[in-house]
Amino acid sequence: MKIEWIEDFLALIDTGTFSQAAERRHVTQPAFSRRIRQLEEWLGVELIDRSSARLTLTPHAQSYEAPLRDWLARLYAMRSRIRVDAKRGPRAILTTQHTLTVSYLPRLLRYFRLRAPDARLQVSSSDRSDCIRHFQRGEADLLLCSELEGTPLFLDRSDIARAPLGMEQLIPVCAADRLGRPLFDLERETHLPLIGYDPDSFLGGILATPYQLDLQRRYDVEIVCETAFTIGIRELALAGLGIGWLPHGLIEEDLEAGKLVSLLEILGGPMLVVACYRKQSEGAPTVDTLWQLISATPPTV
């Protein structure tokens, strides 16, 4: 199988005719048709319904168009990485959850750039569970994540090193009214609109008890939104939709500007630890360099 056959097939889908696709691929139409046939023979299925007067894909072709595009894009991305690594040396891959990508990671990257400007780093941002899985599979050299205080990850893994970087409070907040007061008066109102986390998410799990349970005992709670997207909860809180718990590092500027009001004294909130992990026996020199910086004097959370 040749990569050009996949490119031919995708060009055929994009243009809609064999003649236009052949022109785009800079080959004659008979040669282009032969390459489509060769791809079909290699796959063992027909991709084009030749009984139709117009270009029509078979059900197999329709089902696998998106995976083929994704595979081709990944292949070229890997080729680019190999070429760059060969010219500039290996790089470290750091995976971190979306919230930290916005709040803490920029400070950490500036610290890296100042202390080790030649160290090459690729950042992968994802959901916390996906980050942990990527790290465990060896798809990332460093894992930057939040933990509930007192419950570190990989507690029994002697082959994984941990560097705690600091702590931050998970704070219940809501938008402010024109006088800078909480939009929702928890001392007078019994109705409480909650912008909640998905129960299966990390933050949803640690807030379930005792915080949200206590909330439901004291107020008539209405869940106005439920999501695992922390940054989305911040935007909805700013819009005045309801009350939500957010990491202090994500909303520090909003609190200082008076856009959000803390309800911590009334509702409470857990402490989170931001920590970084690496596998002891793995990693290129770049990983060693960055880990030394993480273990030395990293920026505060």
Side-chain angles (χ1 to χ4, degrees):
M1 202 279 290
K2 296 181 179 180
I3 296 175
E4 64 183 16
W5 297 348
I6 303 294
E7 294 176 328
D8 291 339
F9 175 61
L10 296 178
L12 180 59
I13 296 175
D14 292 339
T15 59
T17 67
F18 275 81
S19 59
Q20 291 181 4
E23 183 178 354
R24 174 185 289 190
R25 299 291 293 146
H26 306 292
V27 295
T28 63
Q29 185 170 334
F32 182 85
S33 298
R34 283 196 301 272
R35 286 171 19 174
I36 296 297
R37 281 287 192 187
Q38 288 173 311
L39 176 60
E40 290 176 317
E41 291 172 3
W42 185 83
L43 291 172
V45 297
E46 289 189 350
L47 300 174
I48 309 300
D49 182 0
R50 291 175 173 81
S51 64
S52 174
R54 300 179 61 183
L55 178 68
T56 304
L57 301 180
T58 63
H60 288 96
Q62 294 174 13
S63 299
Y64 285 95
E65 177 191 349
L68 282 173
R69 290 186 186 276
D70 181 66
W71 174 83
L72 191 63
R74 288 174 179 270
L75 183 64
Y76 279 122
M78 182 175 64
R79 184 185 68 173
S80 297
R81 290 197 297 269
I82 291 173
R83 287 177 174 177
V84 173
D85 287 349
K87 293 179 180 179
R88 302 180 58 188
R91 61 184 170 176
I93 299 177
L94 181 148
T95 183
T96 188
Q97 61 207 70
H98 295 306
T99 306
L100 291 176
T101 303
V102 176
S103 60
Y104 178 69
L105 183 62
R107 293 200 298 272
L108 185 62
L109 294 179
R110 287 192 290 270
Y111 169 68
F112 287 160
R113 190 164 57 248
L114 180 64
R115 303 296 179 89
D118 295 329
R120 299 182 58 241
L121 176 67
Q122 175 186 337
V123 174
S124 173
S125 178
S126 189
D127 293 336
R128 182 177 183 272
S129 57
D130 290 335
C131 293
I132 294 171
R133 184 162 52 251
H134 294 160
F135 176 73
Q136 290 176 313
R137 290 176 178 173
E139 297 169 1
D141 303 294
L142 301 169
L143 167 65
L144 179 67
C145 67
S146 297
E147 306 168 330
L148 179 63
E149 184 181 17
T151 58
L153 291 168
F154 314 117
L155 191 59
D156 300 324
R157 294 283 300 273
S158 59
D159 61 320
I160 296 179
R162 177 178 182 268
L165 300 175
M167 303 179 67
E168 66 176 345
Q169 186 95 46
L170 203 60
I171 302 176
V173 296
C174 70
D177 64 15
R178 281 181 281 183
L179 298 177
R181 300 172 302 194
L183 195 59
F184 304 99
D185 187 348
L186 300 187
E187 295 182 356
R188 297 183 181 181
E189 299 176 10
T190 58
H191 173 253
L192 190 153
L194 175 65
I195 309 171
Y197 289 94
D198 185 322
D200 295 328
S201 67
F202 166 64
L203 294 181
I206 66 176
L207 284 170
T209 54
Y211 302 99
Q212 287 184 194
L213 181 60
D214 184 54
L215 205 65
Q216 291 165 342
R217 288 170 177 163
R218 297 163 57 188
Y219 301 96
D220 180 16
V221 175
E222 177 192 4
I223 298 178
V224 293
C225 178
E226 194 170 78
T227 178
F229 191 36
T230 310
I231 300 170
I233 291 180
R234 170 184 173 269
E235 293 300 320
L236 295 177
L238 285 167
L241 183 65
I243 294 169
W245 271 267
L246 291 164
H248 179 263
L250 183 64
I251 57 172
E252 184 175 4
E253 294 182 1
D254 298 321
L255 292 171
E256 292 177 355
K259 295 179 180 179
L260 291 176
V261 181
S262 170
L263 304 171
L264 185 62
E265 292 185 2
I266 302 174
L267 302 180
M271 290 296 294
L272 302 178
V273 177
V274 177
C276 192
Y277 289 89
R278 73 163 293 185
K279 292 183 179 178
Q280 299 270 34
S281 58
E282 298 180 9
T286 301
V287 180
D288 294 334
T289 299
L290 296 180
W291 185 254
Q292 289 172 6
L293 293 175
I294 289 171
S295 305
T297 55
T300 57
V301 173

